[in-house]
Each structure stands twice: as C-alpha cells, then as structure tokens.
Amino acid sequence: MAQVRNKQVVLRNYVTGFPKESDMKIVEGTITLKLPEGSKEVLLKNLYLSCDPYMRLIMTKGSASDLGAFTPSSPLTGYGVSKVLESGHSDYKKDDLVWGFTKWEEYSLVSSTQILFKIEHTDVPLSYYTGILGMPGVTAYVGFFEIGSPKKGENVFISAASGAVGQLVGQFAKLTGCYVVGSAGSKEKVDLLKNKFGFDDAFNYKEEPDLDAALKRYFPEGIDIYFENVGGKTLDAVLLNMRVHGRIPVCGMISQYNLTQLDGITNLANIIFKRVRMEGFLANDFYHLYPKFLEFLLPHIREGKVVYVEDIVEGLENGPTALVGLFSGRNVGKQVLVVARE
C-alpha cells in the first residue's frame, strides 16, 4: 500500500508564559493507509479539530494529568471529528464518523479507547461534535445542571460567556428560567451575548475598573450560580457577591494558564459564612450521561432554541495561530480547525 503525506502540527518545546505560534511547527510526515496485520487499532482521516484552552496546561513540562500531556517533537493531541478508513476493532467500520481524541495531523492511527462516540446524528454540522455536541457541550450541560443545580428564578453569572462553553451555559440558564448576565472581552462579544444568545445583560470586563461594583450593579441581590471560566480577579470579585447557598461550578481558569506568578484569591472566606459550594469538574467523568445530553439538546438545536457560534479556521498550517488566539480572545465563539471536510 502506498504511503501518503501526513501533515502534522508538532510541539517544538515545552511552553512557559503565553504560547506563541513559534512553539509549534508544521511537519510533513508520511503514513501507510493500511492497518498493520492483526492490529486492533483504528485508522482515521481527521476532519475537524477542537482548539481548547486546557491544551495550554499540558504544554508545560511535568504537567501529566487526567488531561494527558504533550511531548516535544510529537504531534499535538486533542478532541476531533474523524472518518474511519479502516478498523481492527469490531465497534467501528469503514466510513463511520466518530469523535474523541486524535492527533493534530491529516491521518491518525489510534487505539479504539481514544474514540469516545460514533456519530449517529448527521443532520447537524459535523463540526458541532468539537463543540456544542462534543466536550464543550457536555461541560456546559454537566457544569450547569449536575453541579450548578439551578432553580427557576435564580441569578446566574458566566465569565468568558461567549466562548465554546459559556454561550451554552447562558442559553441553558435561560431555558431554566434564570436571570443571566455574562462577561466577555469586546463589544462584539457583548452584543452577541445579548442579541444572539438571549442573555438578560452582559458587560465588557475590560471596561470595568472595579469588578465588584460592576457585579453589584448587575446583581443587586447577589449571585446564585457563578459558572467559572476565568479565575483570578473575576473570581475574587464574585466571591463578594455570592448569595447564601450559592454554587460555583469551576470549569476553567483561563486567566491563570499562562502566568508564572498566579493571582492570589483573597475573598475565599465568603464561601464559609455564605455556605457556598465550589466544585471543579472535568467532562471526562460524565460521558456516561452523553445519551441523556443528546436527548436534551438535539431537539433544541433542531428547533433553533439553542444556537451556537463557531470561529472556523481552514487548514492544519493555521492550527498554531488558531490555538494561540484563544489566549488573547481573538476567537469569537468555538474555535474549530478544519483539516478536511469529508
């Protein structure tokens, strides 16, 4: 079987501080599009790759965790949507569409354990399985409903609210009958929150010198659920504004991922006398709820009751730019990298 070229995005070296495009390089490898004799692995053609903030955490030396770890001179790995070219595993066959963990390259040979789900519903864009119907969607669903335990009429605040996860949490909160405010980093994103995602209100945190005062303006009676995506100064201000028995699902802390000196949190004592529950979580622990999640969300997508904004970049060679852009807020909505459309 002839070898074909296999373009890859490779990590040059471990990263300190803000990631740069030069921390990665594009390499032309080769691959044989045939499974080795007796292999139980699955040969994939990668279609859509997900750019996710957690990927920065595993670019740091010694960062091995439940999220995985990158190795210099090897391709990046992450969530993606792929087409099966050949399978040594009985669960998958040629031309199946799947999503799960793959490598940042045109073709990948993966263990069947890295594939999370076969894609059964193709009446929605395939790219949605990197976002609204993939890890970010499950993250929003689990964080809000399972950990946030929302009740109708509660006050919900979401940081990084126009991102892959935040835009969904806001819409889930509105479906539940909550009052919802989001923060984002540009006028364009604030307009999206109010006009496309249906938030009750939104503000640009960069224009608020005093976040505590801003939160008191939007939440004079306090916050019941804070969906945490950024950490740092925002979290510190939120802690002053939580209501008794408030909940803080901790999904991410993007403001901290590139700092060598992390921001300290000074208002943590508020969680004691306000009896606030703050809980970190990973989507990985909740994929058993995926069928229930699809049953909930697919009808809303089909009826237009939940919408999703994607920021789509074409071509593996533009992968480093797309990934690095997450940390300066360059993306508007879910950042997706297209490797091939079919």
Side-chain angles (χ1 to χ4, degrees), residues 140 144-145 150-158 161 165-182 192-202 219 225 296 300 304-307:
F144 186 64
F145 290 113
K151 298 178 202 66
K152 186 178 179 180
E154 288 193 314
N155 296 337
V156 177
F157 176 53
I158 304 155
V165 175
Q167 57 174 296
L168 291 173
V169 176
Q171 293 177 83
F172 295 168
K174 286 310 298 173
L175 287 171
T176 309
C178 298
Y179 168 74
V180 186
V181 178
L192 261 183
L193 294 176
K194 293 197 280 196
N195 302 325
K196 189 168 183 79
F197 301 133
F199 283 53
D200 292 292
D201 220 328
F219 296 100
I225 299 175
F296 162 77
H300 288 311
K305 287 182 182 164
V306 171
V307 294

Side-chain angles (χ1 to χ4, degrees), residues 47-67:
L47 304 179
Y48 298 92
L49 297 174
S50 182
C51 298
D52 294 302
Y54 84 84
M55 295 169 76
R56 168 63 190 87
L57 294 172
I58 55 179
M59 290 179 167
T60 306
K61 191 168 187 177
S63 66
S65 70
D66 287 356
L67 298 168

Side-chain angles (χ1 to χ4, degrees), residues 1 38 55 67-68 101 121 135 140 187 252 255 262-263 267 285 319:
M1 181 63 122
M55 295 169 76
L67 298 168
F101 289 99
H121 304 276
M135 179 274 286
K187 182 185 184 307
S255 74
L262 302 180
D263 289 333
N267 296 320
D285 297 332

Side-chain angles (χ1 to χ4, degrees), residues 11-249:
L11 187 67
R12 279 183 198 269
N13 216 326
Y14 289 116
V15 176
T16 48
F18 275 81
K20 305 177 295 298
E21 289 169 39
S22 58
D23 291 324
M24 292 161 269
K25 61 181 176 182
I26 309 299
V27 172
E28 287 273 346
T30 58
I31 188 169
T32 304
L33 293 186
K34 182 103 185 84
L35 279 181
E37 194 66 41
S39 170
K40 287 195 162 52
E41 293 188 302
V42 184
L43 183 63
L44 301 175
K45 179 181 184 181
N46 294 318
L47 304 179
Y48 298 92
L49 297 174
S50 182
C51 298
D52 294 302
Y54 84 84
M55 295 169 76
R56 168 63 190 87
L57 294 172
I58 55 179
M59 290 179 167
T60 306
K61 191 168 187 177
S63 66
S65 70
D66 287 356
L67 298 168
F70 290 150
T71 313
S73 303
S74 296
L76 272 57
T77 55
Y79 286 94
V81 172
S82 312
K83 186 178 187 174
V84 175
L85 296 182
E86 193 181 353
S87 174
H89 193 280
S90 57
D91 285 355
Y92 306 101
K93 61 181 192 307
K94 186 180 183 319
D95 293 333
D96 278 349
L97 293 163
V98 296
W99 75 268
F101 289 99
T102 188
K103 295 175 186 166
W104 277 40
E105 56 190 2
E106 290 174 280
Y107 302 96
S108 294
L109 191 59
V110 304
S111 154
S112 63
T113 57
Q114 289 182 268
I115 297 172
L116 292 172
F117 297 99
K118 201 188 292 192
I119 294 172
E120 310 283 1
H121 304 276
T122 52
D123 59 319
V124 292
L126 272 182
S127 56
Y128 275 15
Y129 290 91
T130 67
I132 183 171
L133 295 175
M135 179 274 286
V138 174
T139 300
Y141 176 80
V142 160
F144 186 64
F145 290 113
E146 300 288 320
I147 293 168
S149 306
K151 298 178 202 66
K152 186 178 179 180
E154 288 193 314
N155 296 337
V156 177
F157 176 53
I158 304 155
S159 53
S162 68
V165 175
Q167 57 174 296
L168 291 173
V169 176
Q171 293 177 83
F172 295 168
K174 286 310 298 173
L175 287 171
T176 309
C178 298
Y179 168 74
V180 186
V181 178
S183 64
S186 72
K187 182 185 184 307
E188 179 190 8
K189 291 177 180 179
V190 167
D191 288 347
L192 261 183
L193 294 176
K194 293 197 280 196
N195 302 325
K196 189 168 183 79
F197 301 133
F199 283 53
D200 292 292
D201 220 328
F203 63 89
N204 182 348
Y205 68 89
K206 293 175 183 171
E207 293 174 356
E208 298 290 349
D210 184 342
L211 281 171
D212 176 34
L215 291 171
K216 284 183 166 52
R217 203 163 70 238
Y218 290 101
F219 296 100
E221 294 173 7
I223 299 165
D224 294 294
I225 299 175
Y226 169 46
F227 199 96
E228 167 66 303
N229 286 312
V230 302
K233 294 176 179 64
T234 302
L235 173 59
D236 224 17
V238 165
L239 288 167
L240 295 171
N241 289 279
M242 291 300 293
R243 296 180 76 172
V244 170
H245 298 303
R247 285 85 70 206
I248 305 179

Side-chain angles (χ1 to χ4, degrees), residues 21 189 311 320-332 335:
E21 289 169 39
K189 291 177 180 179
D311 191 325
T321 311
L323 187 56
V324 167
L326 290 176
F327 301 98
S328 59
R330 192 162 56 207
N331 59 303
V332 178
Q335 187 70 72

